[in-house]
C-alpha cells in the first residue's frame, strides 16, 4: 500500500513525570524519527497515578523538537492519540495501550523493559496478555526475554537493548575518585552484589567512596548491607537532577 503522507508513530511511555532512563529512551526514539520525512512521530507520556509532569522533562521535550502530549492512564486523551497513529510503539505491556491499539486496529510494537515476576495476579496476567497482543516485541535484555518467553524467542520477538543520546561531557578540573551507580533499585541489577563486593574488596574505602543514586524497592536490603558492613563511605543521595547526575558521574573514577 502506498503511503501518501508520513507514517504516524505514537511512542507511548508510562512516566513518573521526571526525566529518567525511560524518558531518555523515548526522546532518543523520537529524535531518530524527527528528521525522517517518511515518519511523523509523537511522544505520549502516560503519567502514573499521582505523578506530575515536571518542568525539566517538559523543557527537554521542547528542546528535542518532537511533538508530545501528557495523558492519564486509560483516559480519553490516550485513546484519541492512539486513533491518530498508524503504528503504536508502547514501552512496557500496559493493558490500556494494548487494548486501545487492538480496538483501533493499530499495529502494536512493544518494548518490554521490566521482567516478568513470579506472581500470577490479575495485574500480571493482564500484562502477559498485553505482551501476546503485540505484533512486534523487543526485549531490552536476554534476561527480560527469558522471563516472558522462557522457551526461546517467539516469532516477531527480538532482544534489542534500549539506547539514549549522550549528553555533552562537562569540563573536568578535578581528579576523579571512587565509584558511582545510578538506577532504580530493583532485583537483578546487581546492586546487592556491588555492595558486597565493595565491602569485601581489599581497598582503602576512604580513597574509593561509593555513591548509589536513585531509590526503589531494594532500599531496605541496601541499608541492611551498609549497616552490617559499617560502610561509612557509601553515600545515598536519592533521586538527583540531571545536572547533579552528570556532576557525580564526572567526579567518579568508575561508573557502574
Amino acid at each position: 500500500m502506498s503511503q501518501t503522507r508520513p507514517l504516524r508513530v505514537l511512542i507511548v511511555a508510562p512516566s513518573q513525570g521526571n526525566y529518567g532512563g525511560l524518558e531518555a529512551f523515548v526522546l532518543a526514539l523520537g529524535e531518530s524519527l524527527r528528521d525522517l520525512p517518511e515518519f511523523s512521530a509523537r511522544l505520549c507520556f502516560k503519567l502514573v497515578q499521582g505523578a506530575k509532569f515536571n518542568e525539566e522533562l517538559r523543557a527537554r521535550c521542547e528542546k528535542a523538537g518532537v511533538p508530545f502530549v501528557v495523558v492519564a492512564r486509560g483516559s480519553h486523551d490516550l485513546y484519541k492519540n492512539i486513533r491518530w497513529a498508524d503504528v503504536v510503539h508502547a514501552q512496557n505491556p500496559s493493558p490500556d495501550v494494548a487494548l486501545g491499539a487492538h480496538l483501533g486496529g493499530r499495529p502494536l510494537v512493544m518494548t518490554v523493559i521490566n521482567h516478568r515476576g513470579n506472581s500470577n495476579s490479575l495485574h500480571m496476567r493482564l500484562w502477559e496478555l498485553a505482551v501476546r497482543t503485540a505484533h512486534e516485541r523487543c526485549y531490552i535484555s536476554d534476561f527480560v526475554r527469558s522471563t516472558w518467553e522462557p522457551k526461546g524467542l517467539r516469532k516477531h520477538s527480538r532482544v534489542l537493548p534500549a539506547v539514549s543520546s549522550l549528553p555533552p561531557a562537562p569540563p573536568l578540573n578535578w581528579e576523579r575518585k571512587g565509584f558511582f551507580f545510578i538506577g532504580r533499585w530493583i532485583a537483578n541489577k546487581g546492586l546487592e552484589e556491588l555492595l558486597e563486593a565493595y565491602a569485601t574488596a581489599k581497598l582503602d574505602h576512604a580513597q574509593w567512596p561509593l555513591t548509589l543514586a536513585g531509590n526503589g524497592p531494594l532500599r531496605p536490603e541496601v541499608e541492611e548491607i551498609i549497616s552490617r558492613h559499617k560502610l561509612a563511605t557509601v553515600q545515598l543521595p536519592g533521586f538527583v537532577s540531571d545536572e547533579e547526575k552528570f556532576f557525580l558521574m564526572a567526579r567518579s573514577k568508575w561508573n557502574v
Side-chain angles (χ1 to χ4, degrees):
M1 181 178 68
S2 61
Q3 188 72 28
T4 58
R5 58 168 173 75
L7 189 74
R8 296 172 176 173
V9 181
L10 183 70
I11 303 171
V12 189
S15 177
Q16 299 278 352
N18 304 308
Y19 179 72
L22 182 54
E23 288 77 13
F25 175 48
V26 298
L27 277 169
L29 289 176
E31 289 172 343
S32 70
L33 298 176
R34 180 189 57 203
D35 301 323
L36 299 176
E38 61 267 37
F39 295 102
S40 175
R42 179 185 293 178
L43 306 182
C44 181
F45 295 98
K46 184 166 65 80
L47 295 183
V48 302
Q49 189 172 7
K52 294 183 178 179
F53 200 74
N54 74 11
E55 289 306 312
E56 180 189 4
L57 180 54
R58 186 178 301 278
R60 285 187 171 276
C61 291
E62 292 172 350
K63 184 178 180 181
V66 183
F68 69 97
V69 294
V70 182
V71 303
R73 61 181 183 180
S75 65
H76 173 74
D77 286 338
L78 170 63
Y79 297 127
K80 182 173 68 175
N81 280 279
I82 289 175
R83 288 195 299 272
W84 166 86
D86 297 310
V87 176
V88 177
H89 183 183
Q91 317 306 313
N92 267 339
S94 300
D96 54 353
V97 178
L99 178 63
H102 175 72
L103 294 178
R106 270 45 175 185
L108 176 62
V109 179
M110 185 176 292
T111 295
V112 184
I113 297 167
N114 291 351
H115 72 283
R116 190 201 188 287
N118 295 324
S119 167
N120 283 316
S121 65
L122 177 61
H123 174 82
M124 188 56 68
R125 288 179 181 275
L126 288 174
W127 270 45
E128 196 163 44
L129 180 61
V131 168
R132 290 181 178 275
T133 63
H135 296 82
E136 296 285 338
R137 291 169 293 273
C138 301
Y139 299 97
I140 66 165
S141 70
D142 197 54
F143 162 70
V144 171
R145 187 277 310 163
S146 69
T147 64
W148 293 98
E149 301 184 16
K151 296 181 180 179
L153 284 172
R154 295 195 297 261
K155 189 177 181 180
H156 303 299
S157 295
R158 69 188 72 184
V159 174
L160 191 65
V163 298
S164 66
S165 301
L166 293 175
L172 298 180
N173 54 6
W174 55 73
E175 182 181 358
R176 291 189 172 108
K177 185 177 181 180
F179 306 95
F180 177 67
F181 169 95
I182 187 167
R184 182 159 166 76
W185 296 4
I186 58 175
N188 298 299
K189 283 196 174 181
L191 189 54
E192 309 100 304
E193 290 82 358
L194 170 61
L195 276 168
E196 293 288 354
Y198 179 76
T200 56
K202 295 180 179 179
L203 49 79
D204 184 345
H205 286 167
Q207 292 300 314
W208 290 92
L210 170 62
T211 300
L212 305 177
N215 211 332
L218 285 184
R219 188 173 189 91
E221 287 86 344
V222 167
E223 292 177 342
E224 188 278 326
I225 296 173
I226 292 173
S227 175
R228 173 159 43 89
H229 290 290
K230 298 180 174 59
L231 298 175
T233 55
V234 177
Q235 303 298 316
L236 309 177
F239 290 108
V240 296
S241 69
D242 221 30
E243 290 72 22
E244 291 172 308
K245 176 179 69 175
F246 295 142
F247 175 79
L248 291 168
M249 291 177 71
R251 289 297 295 263
S252 67
K253 184 75 173 179
W254 295 94
N255 289 293
V256 184

